[in-house]
Every structure is written in C-alpha cells, then in structure tokens.
Amino acid sequence: MSTLIELEAISKIYKKRGGKEKVAAVTDLSFEIARGEIVGLLGPNGAGKTTTIKMICGLIRPDEGHVFVNSFDIVRERQKALRSISAVLEGNRNLYWRMTVQENLEYFAGNRGHSARSVRSEINRLIEQFRLESKRHELVNNLSRGMQQKLAIAVAMLAGTEAVLLDEPTLGLDVETGYEVRELLRAIAQEGRTVIISTHDMPVVQDLCERTVIISSGRVLVDDRVSSLMKLFETKAYSVSLAKPLSQMQVTRLKATFAVLSFADDYKSFTVTLEHDEAIYTLMDILRLERTPVEALDRTSIHFEQVFRQLVNGQVKNHQMRESNHVLA
Amino acid sequence: MYLLNVVGANLRKVAIEMRRYLPNTISMIVTIYAIFLMFFLGIKFIGNPSSAEANTQYMIVTTVMWFLTLMAMQGIGWEITTEATRGTLEQLYMSPVPAWFILFARMLATILLNLVVYAVILLLIMATSSQWLRFDLLTLLPLFFISILGMIGVGFMVAGLALIFKQIQAFLQIAQFIFLAMVAVPIGLSPYLELVPVVRASSMIREAMTSGVSLFDFGANAWLLLSLNAFVYFSLGLLIYKWAETRAMNLGLLGQY
C-alpha cells in the first residue's frame, strides 16, 4: 500500500500566554499512514494529539519537520493537499445550527467548489446511509447530539476525499448512538477510505482500527497493529484468585516485579502480565512469602483499554516490546 | 467555474440566514431608518433652512454609505469571530478553496443582498424627506463595485486582527465612528484624503446621486484615483490577512476563541 499521509520529524512548541515559558506539544514526531488504513491516534490528555491532528489538516504549522498529504506539503502546497483530506474536528460544532441538514451539506460542498446540482445524488445517498431522511429539512439546532454528529461525519464524507480524519467521533453520545456511529465508521472504512480516528473510546479502536499510534508527551510511544498488541498482552495476562488478601509487602513486590494490570478492591484477586513463562515461578515465590493460597490461576481476556493504560503508564518495559518485535519509539 | 459555485453557495447561505434571522434584518432596517430620522429632524429644526434640501440629500447618501461601509469593513471580522465561536472556522480552512476567497464570496453575497434591503430603506427615507435622489445605474454600478472592493480590503485588515486577537468588538465600536467620518468628509477638503479608503468613493457616489454627475462627467482622473485607492486597499488588506493567517497558524490560534 502506498503512503497517503507522512509526518516527517514534526515538532511544535507553544509559548504560554503572558509569559516566556514554552511548552513542547509535539517533539520529533514521525509516522506514515498508508492508503486504505484505519488508524487510531491515541494518547492521554495533553499528549499532543490535537496538535498533531491539526498539523495533518494544515490548521497549525509545525515549527520543524513536514507533513505530506498525498505527496503534497501541507504548508507549501496546502490547497492541493486539502483535496485529499477532510475532517470532523469539533463534532456537532462543525455545523451551521440555523441551517437545515440538506442546507449544511450543500453549503460545505459549495465551499469546495461543487454546485448544488452536481452533489444532489451524493447528498441523497449520504442522507439515506446516515439515516437522516426524516430530518432532511430540520434545522441542525433541533437535532439530537447524535444526529448532529452523524451529519458532521456526512459533511466530511461528502468532500469525497481519500482520507477522513475524525476527532472524538463518539464523544458525548449515548450507548445506542455511539454504536450507530461506530457502525457508520465501519461502513466508511469498508469503502476503502483512509480513516484516522483520534479518540478516548477504546472499544472503537479495538473494534475498528487496524493500527494504532499512541502519542505520549508529544512523542510516538507505540506504533503497531491493534491485533498484535492485543495478542501480545492477551497471551501474557493471567487472573489470579487467592484464598486470603495480599499483604502490603506482597503488593509492593508485585508492582515492582510485574506489569500488574489491576488489583481487586479486597486484594483477593488480581490480573498480571507475565513477560515470559518462567515469570510464573517468581509470582509464586511472592505469594509463598506470606503463604497465600492460590484458588485459581487462569489466562484472561484483555480489553484494549487495559493495553493502552499499560503502555501509557510505562508499565511495559522497552525490552519487553522489542523482544516481541513491536515498535516502541 | 468552481469559484462561481463558492459564490453561489455563499449567496444561498446569506439569503437563508437573512430569512431565518428575520427579526435581525427588520431591526437593522428600523435602526438605519431611526438614525436617518434623527439626522433629518436635526437638519429640519436646527439647521439652516436655506441649505436644508442640500444637507438632507447629503445626509441621506452619507447615512446609507455609512451602513454599507460598516457592513463591508466590519463584516469579515465579525464573520471570523462568529465562525470561531461556532466552531466552523476550521471547517472553512479545510476547504481546498482558499479561506480568503470563501470569506470574500460571503462578503460579496452579504453586500449584494443587503443592497436590496438598503434600496428599500432608501425609498422609505426619500419618501419621508420628500427628497428624491438620482439613480443613474450606469454611473452607480461601477462606482459601487469599485468602492466595495476597497471597503472589503479594509475588511480583510480587520479580519486579520480578528484572527489573531479574537476580541475585537471594542475596536470595532470605535471604528464605526471613524468610518462615519470617512464617508462624510468631502474629498475636496484635503489632497491627503485621497490616501484614505472610501472618502473618494463616498464623495463620487454622493455627487452622482445628489447632483446627477454622470459616469463621463467625473473624468478619467477621478476614476483612476478611485480605482487605484480601491486596488491598493484591497491588495493591502489581502496581504495583511494572509500574514495574520500564517501567524495564527504558527501560533495555533486559528480555531481558538
């Protein structure tokens, strides 16, 4: 697959308002996104995700490095680059609330140089696909948040670009609408478009994304396939049930020795990630210290959220990832 | 052709919003009419009766020109502020059509549609004052077109400020009185006024509407100075706006409000 988006050693430093203090939002960030890929851009709050997204969209200029979209430099050849990318950046705030669903679609298409007539059939198709038929002539102001979110995505789809960038597409949606939006995103991905999703909604990543780029403190922390990360953690995650609670000393030793996923409130069970099979003997040694009887020890299934938390919290050692041939930048 | 589609889309949007915000449109008509009445009654009861007719005509054109100037010069700045507050500004910047052109199209659409509203107000004013102005479209159309270009240029300068500083409402409130002075002062007062935007345009429109000066009566020199002024301010406005846009992108301020 050829590269559609390329970030080449980009950095961005902000000067804090009213002071001389500077904050590095993004530092020497590099990664590529191939045509047709579905990538989850993740990171804790303040990691530099929004800055990265806006630099990809050409809304913020990097201090150093380059962003190429379809081989066009987003700074120097902005207008050409923007023919290949559209975005939903602020969800329902990306719309004109005193215009109807159809009027919004027509207006944004018009601003890309399309006549209302030339996009009419595509608008009809999108309205049908996004189940907005009954709201076609409704003011955006009167729509539910979920409907507004769907319309914002439809506007981005109408641009007909190769890549669609979605910032928090399920934020603030109820479970049902969130699921509906997720299904729409799946349909978009199946159309063969390149989709970049920035989100805190881990089930969305686990469910939709092929690959994830995790950013922390402005740098790429992990760049890998979601399935590989899941597999890596899944095969090494164990749940341990005990007959009596762990002592404080045991908890401390476990934390120092393993990438512990979580303890139960009563400290009578916990899940743990073992780096290699022999580590189970070390685990048993810690439990034996206080003669803590083990009631059950099982391989456990893992959610991507747990993987993410471990990666971001630095509970996975670099060598652990490298030994598994995973990129840990 | 695709640029025409951008203009068409913005024309439809402005028309839709004028209809949806009908109370705003009505309140604008009432405000302009009320301000005119204030000036008119002032001239009638306080001013010199011998020059009342000329003064009233002068004032009618000046009032309408003032509001046109306000709309063109402040309009893009307001649009930027409103779009940033709504969260739609960044979407405009995601278009492969340059944002300045979309805003230019928006402004052109706003002015064109408001000119229709102003024509209605002008009729009302003329009926109230019994002072009927001349409407030589052959003269007025090129005059308005060139004038508006210069006004939009200043509008782009204001918009550039809005992109970086956002909170420009206080500045705009002061600016409206500067704009009033610009449209009211006669161009013959000082040669330096040729350097100020809108002064020549306003004077020529006033002469055409009150004294019936036609397209050819103005002479090549007047047209040249008018066009030069409009061209310089439009170019300068665009340059300043592009500079501000780059700066806002460097500072990460584009969508912030």
Side-chain angles (χ1 to χ4, degrees):
Chain A
M1 281 192 289
S2 60
T3 301
L4 182 63
I5 297 167
E6 185 182 359
L7 280 72
E8 198 181 87
I10 55 167
S11 297
K12 185 76 204 171
I13 295 171
Y14 293 121
K15 203 155 80 174
K16 278 195 175 174
R17 275 191 182 178
K20 288 180 179 173
E21 200 184 334
K22 289 180 176 178
V23 181
V26 170
T27 310
D28 199 25
L29 197 77
S30 298
F31 62 87
E32 292 178 8
I33 295 171
R35 283 191 160 79
E37 255 192 318
I38 308 155
V39 179
L41 189 62
L42 311 180
N45 288 334
K49 285 194 312 286
T50 304
T51 301
T52 304
I53 289 165
K54 290 192 175 180
M55 283 197 281
I56 295 173
C57 294
L59 299 170
I60 292 177
R61 289 188 172 190
D63 296 329
E64 283 173 34
H66 299 277
V67 177
F68 296 98
V69 178
N70 203 10
S71 304
F72 295 112
D73 188 317
I74 195 78
V75 173
R76 276 181 271 171
E77 299 161 290
R78 187 183 152 73
Q79 257 58 52
K80 285 179 184 168
L82 287 175
R83 284 186 200 138
S84 302
I85 192 163
S86 56
V88 180
L89 295 171
E90 295 193 53
N92 58 347
R93 288 191 72 232
N94 279 176
L95 304 164
Y96 292 95
W97 286 37
R98 298 286 279 185
M99 288 168 78
T100 67
V101 167
Q102 178 157 338
E103 285 163 357
N104 263 282
L105 287 162
E106 283 176 354
Y107 179 64
F108 281 109
N111 271 347
R112 293 186 82 93
H114 304 294
S115 70
R117 189 182 294 175
S118 69
V119 288
R120 193 156 294 155
S121 63
E122 183 60 7
I123 286 177
N124 290 339
R125 189 188 73 77
L126 284 167
I127 283 180
E128 195 182 329
Q129 185 187 358
F130 284 71
R131 294 185 193 160
L132 291 165
E133 297 101 323
S134 60
K135 306 289 178 187
R136 181 189 283 262
H137 301 296
E138 192 78 58
L139 291 182
V140 170
N141 198 28
N142 299 337
L143 299 181
S144 67
R145 191 187 167 101
M147 289 274 189
Q148 290 169 344
Q149 187 71 16
K150 286 200 291 184
L151 176 59
I153 299 171
V155 166
M157 295 301 298
L158 186 61
T161 53
E162 269 192 272
V164 183
L165 206 149
L166 303 147
D167 192 12
E168 296 290 359
T170 53
L171 184 73
L173 302 183
D174 59 52
V175 176
E176 200 175 324
T177 320
Y179 176 78
E180 203 182 336
V181 167
R182 205 189 303 174
E183 287 307 301
L184 281 170
L185 297 181
R186 194 192 308 280
I188 293 166
Q190 281 165 356
E191 286 175 17
R193 298 203 201 205
T194 308
V195 182
I196 303 132
I197 306 172
S198 161
T199 184
H200 285 103
D201 191 348
M202 296 302 153
V204 167
V205 180
Q206 188 172 344
D207 198 21
L208 292 177
C209 298
E210 298 163 348
R211 185 180 140 209
T212 182
V213 176
I214 301 179
I215 300 175
S216 185
S217 305
R219 296 170 189 273
V220 174
L221 182 70
V222 176
D223 182 349
D224 204 346
R225 299 191 76 74
V226 172
S227 58
S228 309
L229 288 171
M230 293 292 291
K231 202 174 164 189
L232 170 73
F233 282 82
E234 194 141 34
T235 53
K236 293 178 175 179
Y238 289 84
S239 74
V240 184
S241 300
L242 308 167
K244 66 172 192 176
L246 290 163
S247 70
Q248 190 55 49
M249 185 266 285
Q250 282 174 311
V251 171
T252 311
R253 291 283 291 271
L254 283 169
K255 279 183 177 173
T257 315
F258 302 108
V260 176
L261 293 175
S262 59
F263 291 101
D265 288 343
D266 59 2
Y267 286 96
K268 284 178 75 175
S269 64
F270 61 95
T271 52
V272 63
T273 304
L274 304 179
E275 290 182 22
H276 44 82
D277 292 342
E278 287 73 28
I280 201 152
Y281 301 117
T282 315
L283 174 69
M284 288 304 161
D285 287 343
I286 295 171
L287 297 177
R288 199 181 294 132
L289 286 172
E290 302 270 347
R291 295 185 179 278
T292 311
V294 175
E295 284 189 341
L297 176 73
D298 297 303
R299 280 231 163 109
T300 185
S301 61
I302 192 165
H303 297 292
F304 189 73
E305 187 167 354
Q306 292 165 302
V307 175
F308 172 75
R309 276 171 53 201
Q310 282 205 55
L311 290 167
V312 170
N313 294 336
Q315 289 170 329
V316 179
K317 314 275 185 301
N318 283 8
H319 68 86
Q320 191 181 337
M321 294 290 287
R322 288 195 185 107
E323 277 172 10
S324 311
N325 293 323
H326 293 265
V327 179
L328 189 71
Chain B
M1 184 65 194
Y2 83 110
L3 291 180
L4 273 180
N5 289 334
V6 177
V7 176
N10 281 283
L11 208 57
R12 274 194 299 278
K13 179 185 183 292
V14 175
I16 288 165
E17 291 196 331
M18 275 177 87
R19 210 173 60 229
R20 299 262 155 81
Y21 292 98
L22 196 61
N24 284 7
T25 312
I26 294 169
S27 100
M28 179 183 77
I29 295 173
V30 172
T31 306
I32 300 176
Y33 187 69
I35 288 175
F36 154 75
L37 269 186
M38 207 172 64
F39 288 151
F40 174 63
L41 293 174
I43 290 169
K44 198 167 180 185
F45 295 112
I46 305 165
N48 184 354
S50 63
S51 58
E53 190 177 319
N55 285 345
T56 306
Q57 289 189 355
Y58 194 100
M59 179 268 299
I60 292 173
V61 183
T62 303
T63 309
V64 174
M65 278 301 289
W66 182 34
F67 278 91
L68 186 68
T69 309
L70 279 181
M71 188 172 48
M73 290 188 175
Q74 298 188 341
I76 308 177
W78 281 117
E79 290 288 338
I80 294 271
T81 313
T82 313
E83 296 270 345
T85 316
R86 282 172 175 167
T88 42
L89 185 65
E90 289 181 326
Q91 276 304 314
L92 295 188
Y93 270 89
M94 285 299 296
S95 169
V97 176
W100 75 262
F101 187 82
I102 296 175
L103 292 165
F104 175 70
R106 181 88 61 85
M107 225 45 250
L108 218 53
T110 308
I111 291 168
L112 279 176
L113 290 173
N114 275 287
L115 275 177
V116 178
V117 178
Y118 285 3
V120 174
I121 299 172
L122 204 57
L123 278 172
L124 266 174
I125 292 173
M126 288 191 295
T128 311
S129 61
S130 306
Q131 298 293 328
W132 297 93
L133 300 168
R134 292 168 182 83
F135 281 93
D136 173 12
L137 287 182
L138 192 69
T139 308
L140 286 177
L141 281 179
L143 264 177
F144 269 110
F145 179 76
I146 299 169
S147 315
I148 284 167
L149 216 59
M151 290 177 194
I152 291 179
V154 179
F156 271 118
M157 293 179 200
V158 176
L161 289 180
L163 271 183
I164 296 174
F165 299 109
K166 314 290 175 190
Q167 304 277 358
I168 57 158
Q169 287 88 338
F171 165 74
L172 291 181
Q173 273 169 12
I174 299 166
Q176 57 189 344
F177 296 106
I178 300 171
F179 297 157
L180 176 60
M182 278 154 54
V183 294
V185 67
I187 188 74
L189 211 63
S190 161
Y192 293 111
L193 288 173
E194 294 289 358
L195 302 173
V196 182
V198 185
V199 177
R200 167 159 288 282
S202 182
S203 290
M204 286 173 76
I205 289 172
R206 213 166 21 236
E207 282 178 48
M209 292 179 85
T210 59
S211 313
V213 180
S214 75
L215 181 86
F216 302 105
D217 295 337
F218 281 119
N221 200 33
W223 282 105
L224 186 72
L225 286 170
L226 175 76
S227 306
L228 204 65
N229 183 289
F231 176 77
V232 167
Y233 274 99
F234 185 75
S235 310
L236 200 64
L238 216 52
L239 275 175
I240 290 173
Y241 182 79
K242 292 295 286 178
W243 170 83
E245 185 183 83
T246 306
R247 186 154 172 77
M249 283 176 175
N250 281 332
L251 296 172
L253 295 173
L254 207 57
Q256 280 183 18
Y257 188 76

